[in-house]
Structures are given as structure tokens and as C-alpha cells.
Amino acid sequence: MLDAHRPNSPDFLAGGGEMGALMRAYDWASHPIGAPDTWPQSLRTAIRIVLNTNHPMFIWWGPDLIQFYNDAYALTMDAQQHHAGLGARGREFWHEIWPIISPQIAQVMSGGGATWHENQLIPMTRNGKLEHSYWTYSYSPLDLDDGVGGVLVVCRDVTRDHEATIVLREREAELARVQQIGQIGGLEVDLRTGFRNRRSPEYLIVHGLPPEAANESHEDWVRRIHPEDREATEQKFRNAVKSGVRDYTVQYRIIRPSDGQTRWISVRSYIERDDAGKPLRLVGAHTDVTDQVLAEQALRKSEDEARRLAAKLADLNETLEQRVRDKTRERDRIWSVSQDLLMVADHDGVWRTVNPAWMRTLAWSEAELLNKTSRWLEHPEDQARTMAEVDKLAAGEPTIRFENRLRHRDGSYRWLSWTAVPDQNQIYCVARDVTAEKAAAERLKNTEEALRQSQKMEAVGQLTGGIAHDFNNLLTGIVGSLDLMQTRLGQGRTDNIARYIDAAMTSANRAAALTHRLLAFARRQPLIPKSVDANGLIVSLEDLLRRTIGETLDLDIVAAPDLWCTLCDPNQLESALLNLAINARDAMPDGGHLKIATQNVRVDAINANAPALTPGDYICISVSDSGTGMSPEVVARAFDPFFTTKPIGQGTGLGLSMIYGFARQSNGHVSIDSRLDIGTTVKLYLPRHEGDAAAQDAAPLKGDQHVAAGETLLVVEDEPVVRSVIVDMLKDEGYRVLEAVDGPSGLRVLRETPNIDLLVTDIGLPGMNGRQLADQAREARPDLKILFITGYSESVVMAKGFLLPGMEMITKPFDLDHFLRRIRTMVTS
């Protein structure tokens, strides 16, 4: 998945050390997440932060929890994990700890907010073996639209700290227990009989002795003392016994017999004496203070090091003045060449010093800027906010990212972002010109709004596409049955059903028209694109348009000379123009002017007003009226499906949605500019097509006949009514018709019947679909002709290259004449 020569990596992947290089080289275009320039802004921002921090950080993105991480996190993984981690799916990569982290991730992804976990036990496989590690980490949501798109993880491996804490607690508990027991008789020495000893079990543990050493001799104790401490320690003991003191303390090292370790022992003892002061016995407590002694030694070492550093600092002070002079010169250079606007003001907001960047940015001279406040430069709408910010600075509060507008010498305004801090009687300020960033942010906002509109249309399209599939299956049965009735009536073969035909056909065709509108705005309607001369098409519609809008409206057609051709479905374009003319007529109930104009348009860069238009050549058809116009709120919803301002029963709310779907499916765009009481202009952009306009197909007359010569046709359709109607249609024309209910049964018929002239199959078959059936059929019969039937065309149907030579497609519902003409053309060609 890595390509070390991948060019043009996005800016947000810049830097980041090893992981930044790996992310730039990764073949994201082949990954389900797609190329980086398609990633959401929230993911880009998070990745930029993760790559440019030294703290271990991690990202899970999307439903599959795709992984990203930085160099600091990579150091916590072994080589095998690191090799497979980037771009992996979270559930698969962390399967061994998924029961632990899955509920925590689910809480964040479902909108439950951030989580925090301290000293969490996480079993991890490192270097081929399972290790128990402890982590402190937080899970934070990454926003996407109105929900959560991913999880940002900030973490730290605290295994060593956790284990050290456990050891320390055990040591403290042991120390407390030994001290407690020792104070009630850890050691007892009979001073009257030659230092005979009696030791408690806790004493034996501290000294590393076996149980049988409870009554060891004084000499045994002396031998256990470290050689360097032995003489002084024994002498101090004997002196305490002789001197008459009662409290006796000492600290010394021993070499523990059980493991050979050197340990520090602290002894607190009490010497009992008779009335004459003669020693009777000694009772004491022995405590292992090795950790405390080592800590004190380390502290003394640190203090010694601090003293050495202090001496070095004293030496450095000798060159401090020279360094100050160097830093002053460096500051002056930075002041002069900085692109940021640097300024010092007093607490009244009067400018005292400015750097040259101010003159470059606003074009005012230094003399014009100094010794006055900025009020004369401020945009009138910002003056009150700026004064309040200066008052806060004078009160000691810093300013971070305060924005206002200052006037350029040419009269325009520049947006500045300020950071300022007060110090004694002055205010130190840094400002940056963010005018370009503001404009870019506004363009981004418009682009995101367009994206949300497109996503909304896609969501509705999924609903309407599914409705159309079942609805058109029913319509095909209705229209086909009625067509048969009409044919048989003409042959004198039926009675008493003519009164039902007209009503049924009218209802069926109205339902079919509604279905086509649903599919059009959902961008699921199969288009038949051709090279179209839009000027010629509009002129051919002029009579129909004039009859449609009526005599009270003036129609003006302005056709641009040398208009480019475009590639689109001419029938859909005619329908779109007719819809726009009807909308314009309804907006001008008292008469008015309707203008249809064409022009060539070249788009050199992405425009914030039409972000869906990629750079290139387009033709533009504008339809303008002088009607009532629309408010901004209505314009914002104009393309929404089922949204209409017309009274109930006078509009479905699908007209503009259909036009939007047609334009987007044709790789174009549509926009609306409308003002109340002035009028509305709708612009339809369609991509330029090189080449001449295609000639219009001449429809055969209904009386044209082709006498079937016994050709054999196979019909594969899972809907019984539809299949029965099609079979009866074809048999009435004299064809030999075979039928099958699904793909596998259709394949069996093809294998068992040697001569089949045409395969007629529905695309939306259950299990094996129509295209899969066609592919398998052509493995044995490469020249087999195939006519596809569809009521709802899936995305694969509309894909380029779906129809191979010898394949055609017809959309349900269809009338008898049109269907039979297609059959005749294919079997005789």
C-alpha cells in the first residue's frame, strides 16, 4: 500500500517524522477511506495535530475505526504491529483487547462524550508474547457534520510507574509491619549473661535469617555487619551499655545471609538498668531503611550537583552583558524583518512604537500611525469592541486572537488577529493580517453548505429509488395488460371492457410520470446521453413553450452564436426546460416577461457560489422571469424534494428536484438567483462536448409491421404478472417464446435450447441479477443478443460500459408498440 514517489501530498500531512512520511506514501486511493483530499476537515485537522506532537496520540476514524498514529505512539509498538497498524481496522487490529476498549469507544462514537481512564490494564502482544501493560488515556470525539466521525486518543504507557507504585506500597507496608512488631520486642539482649540474644520472627526477616537463628550469639551478629561498619558499630553498642544511657540508636549496614544483599539497618533500643545503673537487658526494634538511605544519598548528590551548577552560572555571568547586547541586536533584526505586525502601546491605547510591517500592510507612514489610538483606522462596527478590549488589557487581562478591521490607505479594510499582554504601563501587541484566511473560510463555509445539500439529496434518492423499483413493476403489468386489451379489441376478440381502458391507461401513465420524476431527482433515472445542440432544441420547443405559458406572457429566446454542444439526455433537458417555464408562468399570474438565453462559460477555478462545478468548459441555459420572486429562505429549500410553495394539489415539489438530479447526473450544476418582487433566474450548467450534435431518431410509424419468422425468444422475469404480459405480447406477434422465473432457470433453458435469437431479462432478478445472467450466457454464446428491462436502475446500470455491443435496455413501464419495435430491430439486425 506504500508508494514512496506519491506526489502532491496535502498540506495537513506535512511533517510528522517517520509516520508523516508513511502517511504521505500510503496508497489511500486504494483504501476504503479514499484519497486524502476527500477526507473531512475534522479528520484533516486531527491528523495535523497528531503528526506534529511529541506525545503518543492515536486516531480511530469512521465506522471501521481506521487507524492513524504518530511517531511517539509507534515507539510503544513492536515492529510487527507498527508494520501492520497504519490504515488497519480497529476491531481486527486490537481483537485481543476488544472486550476492554470496545464499550469505551462505543460511548464516544454514540455521542456520549469524552472518557478518561487511569492505570487501565491492557494485555498487549509485543515481540511475540503477551505482556500485561498499564495505560492512562483519554478518548475524545472528533466531529463530523452533526455527529461523531471518530475518536482521538491521547495516551501514555504507565506500566513502569504502576509497577513501581505497587512495589513502593508493598515496601511501606512491610516497613510499617516490622516497625510495629519491633517496638514490642523485636530484639531482646540479656546484658547480665554475656549478651545472650532472643530475636523475634520479624527480626529474622529483616536480617535474612532462618528460623533456627532466633537465639544466635552476639558474635554472629557482629559477623553479619558490613566490614566497613563492623568495628564502629560494635564499639558504639559496648559504649552504650557501659555509659549508663538508657536510649540507644545506631544505623549500619549488614550483608544479608539469605541473598547476599547489602541492607541499611536502623536500630532504636531501650536499656533497662537497676537502681545502681547496672545494665540488665536491652529491648530494641530493627528496621530496614535501605530505601531511605539511598534516597538521602541521591539527594546529597543532587545538592552537590546544584552547587557545581551554581559555580558554572557564576562563570556564565561574566559573559551575560555581551549576550544581552547580541540578543538586543537579534531582537532589532526580528523587529525589522518580521511579517507580523508588532506594536507597543500605553494603557490608554496610544500607539508608541510600530515595526515596518505596519507600513507594508496598511500603507500608512510611521508618523501617521504613532502617538494616537487606532480609533481613526477602525471599522465603525468594531470601535466599541476594540475599546472594551483595550480596557481589559489596561486592567491586566491578556488578549488572545481578538479580531477587528483596520482601514488601508486605499480605503479598504484588513482583518487583523491580535495577541497582546500588559506589562507595567505598556501593552505589547502582535497582530497578523488574516484577510485572506477570512475569505477562504467564507468560501469553505459555502462549499460545506453545498456538500450538505448534495448529501441530503443523496439520502432522499436512496428512498425514492427503492419505491420506484416496485412501483414500476406494477405499472408494467397494468400498462401491458391494457395494451393487450386494446390489441384484442381491434381484432374483435374481447367484449365489454373498452370503458375500463382509457381510465386505466390514464392512471397508469400518470403514475409512471411521477415515478420518472422521483428517479430524476434521486439521480437513479437511466439517462440516454447524446451530443445535443441546445440552441436547436430550445428553438424546436418554442411553439410548445408559447402554448404552455399562455398569451399574457412575452417569451424571448436569446441564442448565443457558436454555442458548444453538450452531452446529456435531450428528453430530460426538454422536461427540465418545460418545468422551468411552468414555474415562471405560475410566478407571473398578472403577465410578465420570460427570457431563455444560452451562452458558453469557462470555469477556471472552483467558485464558492457553485462549488460543484469543476474547472472546465460548460454551456449555460438561463431561464429568467419578472415574477414575484422568492425569499432567501425559500431559495435555500428550493431543490429539496417535495418542497413547494404552491397550494395543495397544484404542485408535487418534485420539479426543481428533478432538474437538480438531472444536472448532477449529467456532471453539471443548477443555481437560483431570486429576489422578491423582482424576479427569478435559474441557470443550468451542462459540460461541453466535442463533436457535432446527434441526429434525432425518427420513430417508426405504428402501422409498420415485421412478420415474425418463428424467431425464438427467452423471457426471464421474476414478477409473474409482468412475465405473463410480456410473453403474451410476443406470442401475439408470432414469436416462439420461452420463459424463466430467475437467473439459474434461465441458464438451464439457454443450455438446453440450441437456437435462441434474443434474451429478454429483467435486471433486478433475485440472487443472480440480469447482468450476471447475461455474462454467463455469453460465455457459451458470445453473439447472443440481450435486451435488459428495468424499473429501477442500480448504479451499476448507469456505469460507463454496462451495455456491451449487442445489448440494449428499455425502462418500465413501456407501451406495446415501443417494446415490439425494439424487439423487431434487435432480432432482424
Side-chain angles (χ1 to χ4, degrees):
M1 294 292 285
L2 293 180
D3 182 355
H5 303 285
R6 189 169 304 284
N8 301 326
S9 296
D11 292 341
F12 70 90
L13 293 178
E18 178 192 2
M19 289 309 303
L22 289 175
M23 288 192 194
R24 291 190 294 275
Y26 200 98
D27 185 10
W28 295 108
S30 300
H31 192 280
I33 200 172
D37 56 5
T38 67
W39 295 353
Q41 187 61 46
S42 56
L43 176 58
R44 298 183 182 196
T45 302
I47 289 178
R48 184 192 295 272
I49 293 172
V50 167
L51 286 180
N52 292 281
T53 184
N54 294 325
H55 194 88
M57 297 180 74
F58 193 97
I59 293 173
W60 279 306
W61 183 259
D64 292 335
L65 299 176
I66 302 302
Q67 301 187 155
F68 305 86
Y69 52 91
N70 60 10
D71 284 351
Y73 186 87
L75 295 176
T76 69
M77 311 166 73
D78 63 27
Q80 183 176 1
Q81 285 180 314
H82 182 25
H83 177 74
L86 181 60
R89 291 176 171 84
R91 179 185 294 274
E92 299 167 1
F93 189 81
W94 297 109
H95 63 91
E96 59 192 5
I97 61 171
W98 196 249
I100 298 174
I101 65 175
S102 174
Q104 301 165 358
I105 298 173
Q107 177 181 339
V108 179
M109 290 294 288
S110 63
T115 64
W116 172 260
H117 310 274
E118 276 191 273
N119 297 327
Q120 174 73 59
L121 173 61
I122 302 291
M124 295 182 64
T125 300
R126 291 175 174 167
N127 302 316
K129 67 177 183 177
L130 185 66
E131 299 179 356
H132 285 252
S133 60
Y134 291 84
W135 293 77
T136 291
Y137 56 92
S138 66
Y139 287 169
S140 301
L142 295 175
D143 294 337
L144 178 63
D145 296 329
D146 295 329
V148 177
V151 179
L152 174 64
V153 184
V154 180
C155 57
R156 185 166 65 92
D157 186 343
V158 296
T159 305
R160 291 185 178 179
D161 296 344
H162 182 78
E163 292 174 349
T165 300
I166 292 175
V167 170
L168 178 60
R169 289 174 180 170
E170 292 175 351
R171 177 72 66 187
E172 290 173 345
E174 177 185 353
L175 178 63
R177 185 170 59 86
V178 171
Q179 287 178 331
Q180 180 181 10
I181 295 174
Q183 289 172 356
I184 60 173
L187 169 68
E188 181 178 350
V189 181
D190 190 340
L191 301 177
R192 296 168 297 182
T193 57
F195 304 149
R196 188 162 55 87
N197 298 321
R198 185 162 59 86
R199 293 166 173 79
S200 68
E202 289 71 27
Y203 176 98
L204 300 179
I205 292 173
V206 171
H207 282 258
L209 297 174
E212 57 268 25
N215 296 309
E216 71 171 358
S217 66
H218 176 76
E219 287 72 23
D220 293 331
W221 169 69
V222 173
R223 283 193 296 270
R224 195 162 57 252
I225 299 173
H226 192 283
E228 295 177 4
D229 300 344
R230 187 174 297 158
E231 181 177 352
T233 300
E234 184 183 21
Q235 188 61 47
K236 187 172 183 179
F237 168 74
R238 294 185 178 275
N239 289 342
V241 173
K242 294 179 180 179
S243 64
V245 299
R246 295 183 180 273
D247 294 316
Y248 160 68
T249 60
V250 67
Q251 188 169 289
Y252 58 91
R253 290 172 291 174
I254 65 168
I255 299 176
R256 202 159 55 187
S258 59
D259 53 15
Q261 289 189 16
T262 299
R263 308 297 296 179
W264 280 92
I265 304 298
S266 175
V267 180
R268 296 180 62 85
S269 303
Y270 178 78
I271 303 175
E272 294 182 8
R273 300 177 183 274
D274 60 14
D275 295 338
K278 181 179 180 181
L280 301 176
R281 65 174 184 150
L282 178 147
V283 178
H286 285 221
T287 304
D288 187 335
V289 294
T290 305
D291 292 340
Q292 293 93 313
V293 171
L294 294 179
E296 291 171 359
Q297 292 175 347
L299 177 60
R300 285 194 294 272
K301 183 177 179 181
S302 297
E303 291 172 345
D304 293 340
E305 184 66 24
R307 283 190 289 272
R308 286 193 295 271
L309 287 175
K312 289 183 178 180
L313 287 174
D315 295 336
L316 291 174
N317 284 335
E318 296 177 2
T319 60
L320 180 59
E321 291 183 0
Q322 181 60 41
R323 293 191 177 212
V324 169
R325 287 192 294 270
D326 292 342
K327 288 296 182 182
T328 301
R329 285 194 297 269
E330 180 180 346
R331 189 215 66 174
D332 291 342
R333 286 194 297 270
I334 293 173
W335 178 270
S336 299
V337 303
S338 174
Q339 297 300 310
D340 288 335
L341 289 74
L342 309 178
M343 185 259 288
V344 180
D346 62 23
H347 281 190
D348 294 325
V350 177
W351 294 16
R352 298 304 184 189
T353 307
V354 295
N355 73 331
W358 283 97
M359 283 66 83
R360 292 192 295 268
T361 300
L362 297 180
W364 301 103
S365 69
E366 183 176 9
E368 291 171 315
L369 293 172
L370 294 182
N371 301 317
K372 63 184 75 172
T373 68
S374 61
R375 188 175 182 84
W376 67 286
L377 292 174
E378 295 162 7
H379 192 284
E381 296 176 2
D382 298 341
Q383 289 178 353
R385 293 190 307 109
T386 303
M387 183 179 298
E389 201 66 26
V390 172
D391 291 340
K392 286 170 56 180
L393 284 163
E397 296 182 31
T399 287
I400 299 176
R401 291 190 292 276
F402 171 77
E403 293 182 351
N404 67 354
R405 287 162 288 184
L406 296 187
R407 180 163 48 86
H408 190 275
R409 181 180 284 275
D410 63 9
S412 63
Y413 283 91
R414 299 289 192 270
W415 276 100
L416 300 184
S417 176
W418 296 78
T419 298
V421 292
D423 182 23
Q424 296 181 358
N425 296 324
Q426 292 182 318
I427 300 172
Y428 295 88
C429 309
V430 179
R432 177 164 295 180
D433 186 351
V434 294
T435 308
E437 288 89 335
K438 282 279 188 180
E442 185 63 27
R443 291 194 297 271
L444 177 61
K445 179 182 177 182
N446 292 336
T447 301
E448 290 175 341
E449 182 61 33
L451 175 61
R452 282 192 290 271
Q453 170 71 14
S454 176
Q455 290 172 335
K456 180 167 54 179
M457 299 303 298
E458 288 289 346
V460 177
Q462 294 174 4
L463 168 66
T464 56
I467 293 173
H469 175 60
D470 295 333
F471 195 25
N472 276 330
N473 272 333
L474 296 174
L475 288 174
T476 301
I478 295 171
V479 175
S481 298
L482 294 176
D483 238 337
L484 280 173
M485 295 178 194
Q486 288 177 320
T487 301
R488 292 182 181 182
L489 276 174
Q491 298 171 348
R493 296 171 55 190
T494 58
D495 320 315
N496 301 322
I497 60 172
R499 64 180 180 273
Y500 303 118
I501 292 175
D502 289 338
M505 287 296 293
T506 301
S507 298
N509 287 327
R510 288 181 64 188
L514 178 59
T515 299
H516 283 291
R517 283 192 173 188
L518 285 167
L519 290 172
F521 85 74
R523 291 185 283 161
R524 293 293 189 270
Q525 174 66 16
L527 300 182
I528 305 176
K530 298 179 181 179
S531 181
V532 175
D533 174 12
N535 280 344
L537 184 144
I538 294 170
V539 170
S540 69
L541 288 175
E542 183 174 359
D543 289 343
L544 176 60
L545 290 171
R546 290 189 184 277
R547 290 196 301 271
T548 300
I549 63 177
E551 298 178 355
T552 61
L553 300 182
D554 295 328
L555 175 63
D556 186 15
I557 297 178
V558 181
D562 302 322
L563 185 71
W564 298 323
C565 289
T566 185
L567 185 67
C568 69
D569 187 323
N571 294 325
Q572 292 294 326
L573 179 55
E574 290 177 356
S575 177
L577 292 173
L578 186 59
N579 263 296
L580 292 175
I582 292 172
N583 286 348
R585 178 198 66 190
D586 295 343
M588 298 182 288
D590 299 324
H593 184 75
L594 174 63
K595 177 181 178 182
I596 302 178
T598 62
Q599 63 175 327
N600 295 326
V601 176
R602 176 159 292 152
V603 178
D604 296 322
I606 294 177
N607 189 330
N609 295 324
L613 281 180
T614 57
D617 292 339
Y618 297 84
I619 70 162
C620 176
I621 305 173
S622 63
V623 179
S624 304
D625 66 62
S626 58
T628 56
M630 293 180 279
S631 67
E633 293 76 17
V634 173
V635 171
R637 299 190 59 194
F639 291 126
D640 289 359
F642 308 112
F643 175 75
T644 180
T645 58
K646 297 178 181 179
I648 295 175
Q650 297 186 22
T652 63
L654 294 180
L656 287 176
S657 294
M658 177 271 290
I659 296 170
Y660 178 87
F662 161 67
R664 297 298 295 124
Q665 195 172 352
S666 301
N667 298 316
H669 182 64
V670 62
S671 66
I672 297 179
D673 181 17
S674 184
R675 298 185 181 181
L676 287 172
D677 302 323
I678 295 178
T680 300
T681 297
V682 178
K683 291 185 177 181
L684 180 61
Y685 297 88
L686 296 171
R688 178 184 182 181
H689 178 66
E690 301 291 346
D692 298 329
Q696 296 295 322
D697 296 334
L701 296 175
K702 189 168 183 178
D704 293 349
Q705 295 293 324
H706 161 71
V707 179
E711 293 95 337
T712 301
L713 280 59
L714 171 59
V715 176
V716 183
E717 168 63 65
D718 62 311
E719 180 64 37
V721 174
V722 177
R723 185 174 66 254
S724 174
V725 169
I726 293 174
V727 169
D728 286 349
M729 283 181 180
L730 297 175
K731 285 181 177 179
D732 282 354
E733 291 299 308
Y735 295 106
R736 176 173 175 253
V737 184
L738 306 175
E739 56 183 294
V741 300
D742 55 26
S745 60
L747 275 180
R748 285 195 297 272
V749 174
L750 284 166
R751 290 166 181 161
E752 296 169 358
T753 307
N755 297 317
I756 293 180
D757 299 289
L758 178 65
L759 168 62
V760 181
T761 177
D762 188 14
I763 291 178
L765 296 173
M768 177 190 296
N769 63 40
R771 179 53 195 265
Q772 292 169 332
L773 169 62
D775 289 341
Q776 295 195 34
R778 280 201 166 183
E779 289 181 3
R781 301 185 183 188
D783 298 328
L784 179 64
K785 298 173 183 178
I786 302 166
L787 176 61
F788 292 110
I789 303 174
T790 180
Y792 162 57
S793 188
E794 299 179 81
S795 58
V796 66
V797 177
M798 294 174 284
K800 185 177 180 181
F802 178 82
L803 294 177
L804 301 178
M807 295 181 179
E808 293 190 19
M809 182 170 65
I810 188 170
T811 304
K812 304 172 186 177
F814 44 77
D815 59 50
L816 176 61
D817 284 332
H818 180 58
F819 178 62
L820 292 178
R821 284 198 302 270
R822 298 290 291 273
I823 295 290
R824 292 167 192 161
T825 301
M826 294 191 73
V827 298
T828 58
S829 62

